[in-house]
Amino acid sequence: MMTGEATATTTVRRPPWVWPLALLLVAAAAAPLVLYWLGNVDDQRLVDLDVYRTGGQALLEGRPVYDFVTPAPQLLPFTYPPVAAMLAVPLAMMSWPVAQWVWTAGIFATLAVTVAYAFRAALGRLATGRAAAGLAAPGSGGPDGAASGRGAQGGAAPGRTAAPAEGRWGGLWLPAVFAVLMVACTYLMPIRDQVRFGQVDILLVALCLADCAARRPVWPRGLLIGLATAVKLTPGVFLIYLLITGFGPGGRPEQRRAFFMAAFTAALLTLLPFLVIPSDAADFWFHALLDPERLGANAATTNQSMRGMLIRLYLPDAPTSLLWLVLVAAVGWYGFRHARRAFLDGHTMTGVALTGLMAVLLSPVAWIHHLAWVVVVLGALAGDGRDPVRVRVAAGVWLYYVVPVPWWGVAIKAAEIPVLSPVLGKIVQNGFGLGALALVWLLASWLPRRRETFRPLT
């Protein structure tokens, strides 16, 4: 064997029943969660889905979208850009029970897309059974298993080989591992909240991730990011990601093209409502958008953005706003700088994960379900699964976001233990937001150093 060159690839044969069985196992594991929330009392069931349908229903009935609220006791207003109301019209045309099941199925379909992309490096090794020596699996595009930038140097150390997926059970590994990953990600608290509230976040994650990570997209790259941005604004951080990875020293031309496509799509879908529903479009951009309390109580525990954490310090408004702007500038500079570096080094999944965390941390309001980006973070941390330290770190992050850490903080504060409750309770109450800051450091600083020091033996 020549040093630094790829070795043989093992063809892995799978019985036709393997993938249906894997999907059945995922469905069985997710069933308690789905049945619990879809069996909730009607006025507490998928309340955000009800908001989307309300927007579509307002258009069907010719009512002002931003004056229309969901039925009591929720009384929730439509908070999304007007194009989202236009896209919600099909939901409004469905009966409420049908819409619930269709939307819940969509949540799991888009979660499957997200898991497949986020863990592509590990799943790719199982799919091909390829023994790598200095090279990633075919088409992996870099050590993350994502669409690569420059300078990717993935794979095993020269002269060492990875054991191919052989034997009687080799064909079962990929479906089994995918099923395990799906179930594990389903029970992350941000994903559980997708099912509980009928949220759209995992769809937006899947759109942005597919746009960045697809190797040969059948759509113009940037189109999905533009769509996601037009629907919920916060994915607009990926316009910054495309901009900084496409321009400047080392910038890639495909990223520049994707940036222009994303910007064009977002602008087109933003301007379209001014032609179709001009009064609603004006109402959103000049009135509803300027009222952050319209989204809900900004000081609530579920707001885990940096601004939410600062608001819970209950300082005067002026220093709170000033401190928030300073943190936005500092964290944004650090996060985007390292996202660009990760992309140019060939670690696109890391760059996408960092950018997704920016969408949470920099936003004025980021509810716990906005942290659906944790699925991508886990994939970036685990990599191709050969480094046991990275896998253990990913497992620790998974466990942290499975348990309801912020609500423990609320319980500690309610205990009213002198000194302990006010300080510790507030820290724990901000646990997911502080955890997101720690994840930015892990991806930006710890992970590159770990890649440099780890040399796989097999």
Side-chain angles (χ1 to χ4, degrees), residues 207-208 211-212 222-230 235-236 238-239 241-242 262 266:
L207 289 173
C208 295
D211 222 350
C212 292
L223 177 70
L224 302 186
I225 288 174
L227 171 61
T229 300
F238 279 88
L239 291 171
Y241 174 73
L242 294 175

Side-chain angles (χ1 to χ4, degrees), residues 120-442:
R120 183 165 65 186
L123 295 172
R125 292 180 63 230
L126 296 171
T128 62
R130 186 178 179 86
L135 294 175
S140 67
D144 277 334
S148 177
R150 291 193 314 184
Q153 297 181 15
R160 296 180 178 179
T161 63
E166 295 177 347
R168 181 178 180 183
W169 305 106
L172 303 181
W173 278 111
L174 175 61
V177 171
F178 181 80
V180 168
L181 291 172
M182 275 290 294
V183 173
C185 290
T186 293
Y187 281 90
L188 289 163
M189 190 171 181
I191 303 301
R192 298 202 306 269
D193 277 1
Q194 302 291 313
V195 180
R196 175 183 179 183
F197 298 114
Q199 254 292 335
V200 72
D201 295 284
I202 192 62
L203 169 61
L204 303 179
V205 170
L207 289 173
C208 295
L209 179 58
D211 222 350
C212 292
R215 297 184 185 116
R216 299 177 185 87
V218 295
W219 62 90
R221 197 183 297 277
L223 177 70
L224 302 186
I225 288 174
L227 171 61
T229 300
V231 167
K232 201 178 176 177
L233 300 186
T234 51
V237 294
F238 279 88
L239 291 171
I240 301 175
Y241 174 73
L242 294 175
L243 183 67
I244 61 177
T245 54
F247 295 86
R252 303 297 300 270
E254 65 272 18
Q255 295 294 95
R256 292 195 289 273
R257 291 192 294 271
F259 168 77
F260 289 122
M261 175 54 66
F264 171 77
T265 303
L268 178 65
L269 295 178
T270 298
L271 293 174
L272 179 63
F274 281 98
L275 300 177
V276 181
I277 45 174
S279 60
D280 289 316
D283 195 14
F284 174 77
W285 289 103
F286 301 115
H287 298 286
L289 181 63
L290 305 179
D291 179 13
E293 292 297 327
R294 186 181 175 88
L295 300 173
N298 289 192
T301 301
T302 49
N303 183 9
Q304 292 289 311
S305 69
M306 291 191 298
R307 180 172 172 270
M309 292 187 281
L310 290 173
I311 289 174
R312 286 190 287 273
L313 295 177
Y314 298 105
L315 299 172
D317 289 344
T320 297
S321 298
L322 179 60
L323 185 55
W324 176 58
L325 292 174
V326 170
L327 286 175
V328 164
V331 173
W333 174 82
Y334 182 83
F336 285 119
R337 172 172 170 260
H338 286 280
R340 182 180 192 275
R341 177 177 296 176
F343 173 82
L344 295 180
D345 286 346
H347 304 290
T348 303
M349 202 60 63
T350 302
V352 172
L354 280 166
T355 306
L357 290 173
M358 294 299 102
V360 175
L361 291 167
L362 306 185
S363 175
V365 177
W367 309 124
I368 287 173
H369 50 73
H370 293 178
L371 279 158
W373 286 104
V374 169
V375 176
V376 186
V377 172
L378 294 176
L381 287 173
D384 62 11
R386 287 182 295 173
D387 184 348
V389 173
R390 289 177 61 177
V391 172
R392 286 196 293 269
V393 169
V397 171
W398 170 82
L399 180 60
Y400 184 80
Y401 280 95
V402 164
V403 296
V405 173
W407 302 110
W408 292 351
V410 174
I412 293 172
K413 290 171 65 177
E416 297 184 348
I417 302 172
V419 182
L420 179 64
S421 288
V423 177
L424 181 61
K426 201 172 292 293
I427 293 172
V428 178
Q429 186 183 19
N430 295 333
F432 279 0
L434 294 174
L437 287 169
L439 291 177
V440 171
W441 175 82
L442 271 177

Side-chain angles (χ1 to χ4, degrees), residues 34-46 100 196:
V34 172
L35 295 177
Y36 179 79
W37 289 119
L38 267 68
N40 205 357
V41 294
D42 191 59
D43 60 24
Q44 300 292 322
R45 189 187 311 161
L46 278 67
Q100 291 174 61
R196 175 183 179 183

